Amino acid sequence: MFGTLGFSYTGLIFLCCLFIPNIIYGFNLPKDYLKIEENKIFLTFERIGQLFCTVFLLIFDDFNIHNFNLWTMWLGIAFVLMALYLICWGRYFIGKHVSIDFYRPFFGIPLPLAVLPVTAVFLLSVYGKVIWLGIAAVILGIGHIGITAQNWEAIKNQ
């Protein structure tokens, strides 16, 4: 429940799935990019959540595959959500590089580039039974999904 210290290769894989597309995005902003003043509370939650998720994903080896059993389905679902997240990034990068491709729903999932990774990280915390990552994922979700929703509303009203 509190986690076993040790390196998590699964956490590293998740972090690579999160960081690499975001770095590439930094060099491929939408053509209709709109600089929006982000809510300071949401931004604080997002940054704190990012910091703790990054640390916890790497320092607890509970997220690694130790054996296959029914509980491993949580890990499988988390990986499926992360794969869907990467597909959404692909939709943006292959598309016209416009904001709507960044925010529009994916198979009915609203704000998929915010909802999918946060949910995947939360489910990884369930799989590893590490409460700290679960709390960090909730904090990240409040900030990241809040900011993304705020940005989506501003773009729709543009």
Side-chain angles (χ1 to χ4, degrees), residues 135-155:
I135 292 168
V138 169
I139 292 168
L140 173 63
I142 291 167
H144 189 52
I145 294 169
I147 287 172
T148 304
Q150 175 191 4
N151 290 346
W152 180 228
E153 284 302 313
I155 287 167

Side-chain angles (χ1 to χ4, degrees), residues 53-66:
C53 281
T54 300
V55 171
F56 296 153
L57 281 168
L58 292 174
I59 68 167
F60 295 118
D61 76 354
D62 304 85
F63 310 125
N64 296 333
I65 300 171
H66 297 289

Side-chain angles (χ1 to χ4, degrees), residues 4-119:
T4 307
L5 289 178
F7 177 71
S8 173
Y9 60 82
T10 303
L12 179 62
I13 291 168
F14 268 60
L15 288 173
C16 288
C17 289
L18 294 169
F19 289 149
I20 292 170
N22 278 283
I23 291 168
I24 296 169
Y25 170 76
F27 295 104
N28 294 283
L29 294 175
K31 294 174 185 171
D32 58 345
Y33 181 76
L34 178 63
K35 180 66 177 155
I36 298 166
E37 181 74 26
E38 295 172 338
N39 179 297
K40 300 292 185 216
I41 295 170
F42 284 151
L43 187 60
T44 301
F45 272 78
E46 182 183 45
R47 295 297 184 251
I48 290 169
Q50 287 171 336
L51 172 69
F52 284 112
C53 281
T54 300
V55 171
F56 296 153
L57 281 168
L58 292 174
I59 68 167
F60 295 118
D61 76 354
D62 304 85
F63 310 125
N64 296 333
I65 300 171
H66 297 289
N67 55 39
F68 286 94
N69 55 34
L70 189 56
W71 196 255
T72 311
M73 79 172 171
W74 294 112
L75 178 63
I77 295 168
F79 268 110
V80 166
L81 293 179
M82 194 57 73
L84 292 174
Y85 169 73
L86 294 174
I87 289 168
C88 289
W89 272 113
R91 174 178 72 170
Y92 171 78
F93 290 131
I94 292 170
K96 299 176 183 175
H97 292 221
V98 292
S99 295
I100 194 158
D101 287 339
F102 194 69
Y103 294 100
R104 69 184 162 107
F106 181 70
F107 289 114
I109 301 168
L111 306 172
L113 288 174
V115 171
L116 289 169
V118 169
T119 306

Side-chain angles (χ1 to χ4, degrees), residues 122-141:
F122 182 80
L123 291 180
L124 187 61
S125 79
V126 171
Y127 165 72
K129 301 174 190 159
V130 178
I131 193 167
W132 309 119
L133 182 61
I135 292 168
V138 169
I139 292 168
L140 173 63

